[in-house]
């Protein structure tokens, strides 16, 4: 057992981070941009143009915000609180989409389609904003407390989700 300062929370943090990943990526299966969203857009009355916007919105939202936030993340003394707030921006839009679909999906499909495209962009922006602090925090933690076994479990979990998605 390692008695280094701060080591007591490493196992708990790893378990919570793994559970977050399991639930987030597990839920992502139901909004897959390759299979589910195109069918959903077509069911809402969208056309090929709306479907073609998905990769554009996701890539723009995922990569551009990282460029603008990375220098700010480097100046932060505490990165975890910042990361947790940004993670909400990545996750909450899907809750909004679910509620809009539940209450307006049948009666107002054009509104639902508009919200869907906005949610894809907003969630991708949230993901793009999360990348720099997440990797900074992960690298710092991993260098301070190297644990090959824990990272192996994380990679195995990601591989298992890939197999589930293929199935």
């Amino acid at each position: 057992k390692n008695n280094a300062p701060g080591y007591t929370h490493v196992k708990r943090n790893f378990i919570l981070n793994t559970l977050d990943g399991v639930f987030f990526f597990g839920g992502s299966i139901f909004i897959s941009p390759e299979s589910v969203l195109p069918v959903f857009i077509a069911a809402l009355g969208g056309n090929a143009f709306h479907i073609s916007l998905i990769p554009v919105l996701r890539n723009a939202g995922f990569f551009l915000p990282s460029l603008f936030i990375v220098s700010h993340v480097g100046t932060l003394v505490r990165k975890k609180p910042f990361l947790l707030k940004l993670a909400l921006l990545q996750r909450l839009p899907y809750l909004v989409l679910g509620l809009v679909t539940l209450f307006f999906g049948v009666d107002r499909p054009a509104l639902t389609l508009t919200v869907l495209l906005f949610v894809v962009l907003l969630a991708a922006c949230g993901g793009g904003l999360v990348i720099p602090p997440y990797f900074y925090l992960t690298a710092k933690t991993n260098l301070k407390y190297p644990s090959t076994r824990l990272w192996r479990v994380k990679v195995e979990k990601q591989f298992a989700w890939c197999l589930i998605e293929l199935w």
Side-chain angles (χ1 to χ4, degrees):
K1 183 173 179 176
N2 193 336
N3 292 324
Y7 187 79
T8 55
H9 300 296
V10 170
K11 187 174 181 180
R12 180 201 67 188
N13 290 346
F14 177 80
I15 290 169
L16 291 175
N17 188 29
T18 300
L19 288 174
D20 174 60
V22 166
F23 288 119
F24 180 74
F25 289 111
S28 296
I29 292 171
F30 298 104
I31 53 159
S32 170
E34 292 83 15
S35 58
V36 176
L37 289 183
V39 174
F40 188 34
I41 288 173
L44 292 171
N47 56 31
F49 173 75
H50 296 112
I51 294 171
S52 69
L53 284 175
I54 295 172
V56 174
L57 295 173
R58 285 180 46 107
N59 286 331
F62 204 69
F63 294 113
L64 289 178
S66 296
L67 298 173
F68 299 108
I69 199 169
V70 72
S71 61
H72 175 65
V73 170
T75 65
L76 295 173
V77 176
R78 296 187 47 128
K79 288 152 180 75
K80 187 176 176 184
F82 185 69
L83 171 64
L84 293 175
K85 290 174 189 167
L86 291 177
L88 286 176
L89 183 62
Q90 184 183 21
R91 289 155 168 77
L92 286 181
Y94 293 115
L95 175 62
V96 171
L97 177 61
L99 293 173
V100 168
T101 303
L102 180 65
F103 293 114
F104 303 110
V106 175
D107 299 330
R108 300 187 61 194
L111 170 70
T112 307
L113 178 60
T114 304
V115 170
L116 184 147
L117 294 173
F118 183 70
V119 161
V120 168
L121 177 62
L122 190 60
C125 286
L129 292 172
V130 164
I131 289 173
Y134 175 78
F135 280 119
Y136 185 94
L137 191 66
T138 303
K140 181 180 176 187
T141 304
N142 199 32
L143 290 175
K144 192 171 182 181
Y145 308 109
S147 178
T148 307
R149 183 176 55 88
L150 293 179
W151 279 102
R152 189 188 81 227
V153 170
K154 184 173 182 173
V155 169
E156 288 171 353
K157 173 196 73 167
Q158 290 172 336
F159 180 71
W161 275 117
C162 289
L163 293 178
I164 290 170
E165 288 181 3
L166 286 173
W167 180 60

